[in-house]
């Protein structure tokens, strides 16, 4: 009997869903190497490999069989071949621009455990999709708003979430599309460097974001009375500022975000929040000659008369701070801890912190590859962003389920 790969689901799954991988028809206790490959939209290759030994019956089920040392990972890791994918081009990040087309995952089974792959025994292809059947993608050009709305299948009303990305601008739809698969009406909102939005904003006007909140609440399929905000990095900072100044925000999940204005001031009506001072000369050089910018920002909790802190005591929303304990871009754990102390001192209890060890700045939905070293969002130089492969892969899955549970509870 020839070897064959058995995947479940067989042909197509959502990118954030687990994929069961098994090989049948091998020889008793046969040694094999499994390799996964995926090309991004620019053609760059991501790969992972692991060494296995089949059972006495020639079967190999990754849910029951540990990977042996020598590959991208070892131990019992049923999803290892997905979370361990790494770019062949150094410091490259996996980004999905067109969520209407899936990524194509290639899985190959090779004979033996050599440094070079042995004979190809079996292979399979699988689509990793971003949209469940029936999820609608609606481009939004309403007033000043530049966004894309994702609506779950059906005519019901759904909890509404605005998804805001960090520095880098543009419109990123991957996280919003995946959330819509889980029953949320999700608006991926651009706020600069997209179409006719400012390229380099001098200020971030909260009125723009208020327009997006009103757009969502006026939509016939968004269940009010308030919306949720999901923000990463700068987007988390924007979400917290929105919660402090705007009405109708019920719940905010912030991923590795500052709690004070950084780089760009906020303005709302006649109020301005100036940015914290950044001291680029405080960057450190690591042993591997990379820049570490984790200590370049002034401490907004200890700078006398600091006006940069977002007045979160005004926020009525529930606040969920998700922090990577190895974040080298934002001191996210310190910021979340200090701001929650301030809230507690004021008798508030509308917050929780979820800390993740071994997790760096970039916290993506499950199975996006680790991006530990890359271009710094502010200085555009190669820098340490933080994170360690296995810990991060577990944090992704856990944080993603916690984000959904949080919004289900409060929206």
């Amino acid at each position: 009997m020839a070897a064959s790969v058995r995947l479940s689901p067989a042909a197509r799954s959502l990118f954030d869903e687990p994929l069961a991988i098994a090989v049948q028809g091998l020889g008793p206790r046969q040694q094999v190497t499994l390799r996964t490959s995926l090309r991004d939209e620019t053609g760059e290759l991501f790969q992972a490999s692991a060494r296995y030994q089949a059972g006495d019956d020639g079967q190999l089920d990754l849910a029951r069989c540990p990977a042996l040392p020598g590959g991208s990972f070892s131990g019992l890791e049923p999803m290892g071949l997905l979370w361990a994918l790494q770019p062949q081009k150094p410091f490259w990040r996996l980004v999905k621009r067109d969520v209407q087309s899936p990524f194509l995952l290639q899985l190959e089974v090779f004979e033996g455990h050599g440094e070079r792959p042995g004979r190809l025994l079996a292979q399979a292809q699988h689509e990793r999709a971003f949209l469940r059947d029936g999820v609608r993608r609606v481009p939004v050009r309403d007033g000043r708003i530049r966004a894309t709305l994702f609506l779950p299948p059906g005519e019901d009303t759904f909890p509404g979430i605005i998804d805001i990305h960090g520095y880098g601008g543009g419109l990123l739809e991957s996280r919003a599309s995946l959330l819509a698969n889980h029953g949320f009406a999700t608006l991926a909102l651009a706020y600069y460097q997209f179409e006719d939005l400012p390229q380099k904003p001098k200020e971030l006007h909260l009125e723009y974001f208020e327009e997006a909140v009103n757009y969502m609440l006026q939509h016939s399929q968004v269940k009010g009375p308030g919306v949720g905000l999901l923000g990463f990095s700068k987007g988390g900072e924007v979400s917290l500022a929105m919660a402090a100044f705007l009405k109708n925000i019920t719940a905010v999940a912030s991923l590795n975000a500052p709690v004070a204005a950084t780089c760009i001031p906020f303005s709302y009506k006649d109020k301005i929040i100036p940015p914290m001072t950044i001291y680029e000369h405080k960057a450190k050089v690591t042993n591997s000659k990379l820049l570490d910018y984790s200590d370049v920002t002034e401490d907004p909790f200890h700078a006398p008369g600091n006006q940069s802190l977002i007045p979160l005591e005004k926020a009525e929303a529930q606040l969920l701070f998700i922090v990577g304990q190895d974040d080298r871009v934002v001191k996210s754990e310190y910021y979340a801890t200090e701001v929650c102390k301030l809230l507690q001192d004021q008798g508030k209890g509308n917050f929780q912190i979820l800390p993740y060890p071994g997790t760096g700045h970039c916290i993506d939905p499950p199975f996006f590859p680790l991006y530990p070293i890359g271009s710094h969002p502010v200085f555009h130089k190669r820098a340490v962003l933080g994170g360690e492969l296995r810990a991060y892969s577990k944090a992704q899955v856990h944080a993603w389920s916690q984000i959904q549970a949080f919004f289900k509870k409060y929206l």
Side-chain angles (χ1 to χ4, degrees):
M1 176 177 159
S4 63
V5 177
R6 192 175 71 240
L7 302 174
S8 176
R12 186 183 175 97
S13 57
L14 291 171
F15 194 88
D16 61 342
E17 280 182 341
L19 175 65
I21 301 172
V23 184
Q24 51 200 22
L26 297 169
R29 307 191 69 75
Q30 183 173 358
Q31 292 193 334
V32 289
T33 300
L34 271 59
R35 184 172 75 189
T36 42
S37 310
L38 176 154
R39 283 194 187 276
D40 72 6
E41 291 162 330
T42 68
E44 290 299 337
L45 180 65
F46 288 73
Q47 283 191 326
S49 68
R51 296 174 173 186
Y52 287 97
Q53 184 170 339
D56 293 332
D57 56 0
Q59 304 278 342
L60 172 58
D61 180 348
L62 271 56
R64 291 202 290 272
C65 189
L68 304 170
S72 304
F73 59 92
S74 61
L76 188 64
E77 295 288 353
M79 288 294 287
L81 284 168
L82 293 174
W83 59 247
L85 284 166
Q86 282 294 287
Q88 301 305 290
K89 178 179 180 173
F91 317 119
W92 191 255
R93 188 175 191 187
L94 184 67
V95 176
K96 188 69 174 122
R97 297 277 173 203
D98 174 13
V99 297
Q100 297 177 95
S101 68
F103 277 133
L104 195 60
L105 186 75
Q106 181 90 18
L107 194 124
E108 297 162 298
V109 184
F110 297 101
E111 200 168 47
H113 288 170
E115 282 307 305
R116 292 179 168 281
R119 186 166 58 95
L120 180 67
L121 301 174
Q123 59 182 329
Q125 278 196 338
H126 185 84
E127 290 184 351
R128 295 287 277 170
F130 284 77
L131 294 175
R132 191 186 290 287
D133 288 346
V135 171
R136 283 158 295 157
R137 177 185 175 276
V138 185
V140 178
R141 304 293 180 270
D142 187 88
R144 289 179 297 175
I145 303 168
R146 303 291 174 262
T148 305
L149 178 64
F150 291 92
L151 290 166
E155 298 307 309
D156 293 343
T157 59
F158 304 99
I161 295 172
I162 300 175
D163 179 38
I164 307 176
H165 273 272
Y167 265 113
L171 180 59
L172 280 171
E173 300 180 357
S174 51
R175 192 169 57 197
S177 64
L178 291 172
L179 265 181
N181 299 323
H182 295 281
F184 299 98
T186 313
L187 186 77
L189 181 66
Y191 56 106
Y192 78 106
Q193 273 182 25
F194 182 73
E195 293 184 357
D196 56 352
L197 294 174
Q199 283 300 303
K200 287 189 171 172
K202 301 267 188 296
E203 288 180 348
L204 288 179
H205 299 281
L206 290 175
E207 287 85 351
Y208 172 78
F209 299 94
E210 191 168 38
E211 235 178 278
V213 173
N214 294 336
Y215 169 82
M216 286 295 274
L217 290 175
Q218 285 157 15
H219 196 285
S220 60
Q221 284 196 266
V222 173
K223 178 171 122 186
V227 296
L229 307 176
L230 173 59
F232 161 64
S233 193
K234 182 70 179 180
E237 177 195 315
V238 169
S239 301
L240 294 170
M242 289 168 72
F245 288 98
L246 310 181
K247 294 187 178 65
N248 301 318
I249 290 161
T250 308
V252 177
S254 122
L255 293 151
N256 283 340
V259 294
T262 50
C263 299
I264 310 170
F266 286 110
S267 74
Y268 184 62
K269 296 180 176 168
D270 53 358
K271 173 87 178 145
I272 299 267
I273 301 187
M276 295 184 281
T277 310
I278 292 180
Y279 304 99
E280 192 177 352
H281 67 271
K282 288 191 175 177
K284 299 189 287 277
V285 180
T286 67
N287 296 343
S288 41
K289 301 285 182 279
L290 292 161
L291 289 162
D292 182 342
Y293 286 104
S294 47
D295 280 323
V296 298
T297 313
E298 73 175 336
D299 185 335
F301 297 98
H302 291 107
N306 191 296
Q307 300 295 302
S308 304
L309 265 180
I310 295 164
L312 277 174
E313 65 281 358
K314 295 182 181 173
E316 291 177 5
Q318 290 293 324
L319 307 173
L320 174 64
F321 295 94
I322 293 171
V323 298
Q325 293 180 308
D326 188 32
D327 183 350
R328 305 288 190 88
V329 176
V330 173
K331 289 187 149 180
S332 44
E333 185 178 30
Y334 171 71
Y335 288 160
T337 308
E338 291 300 308
V339 90
C340 290
K341 278 184 202 161
L342 292 180
L343 292 173
Q344 201 162 13
D345 290 346
Q346 304 207 3
K348 303 199 93 172
N350 59 332
F351 54 84
Q352 64 188 102
I353 302 176
L354 275 179
Y356 290 102
T359 300
H361 186 60
C362 302
I363 303 182
D364 287 311
F367 314 123
F368 270 92
L370 174 68
Y371 183 55
I373 298 165
S375 177
H376 190 279
V378 176
F379 300 110
H380 307 296
K381 292 176 184 166
R382 189 163 293 155
V384 182
L385 309 178
E388 177 268 304
L389 189 57
R390 192 180 300 251
Y392 171 63
S393 71
K394 304 225 176 323
Q396 276 178 311
V397 173
H398 188 266
W400 190 234
S401 69
Q402 294 299 303
I403 288 166
Q404 291 168 51
F406 172 72
F407 285 129
K408 284 195 173 110
K409 179 173 179 180
Y410 292 111
L411 298 179

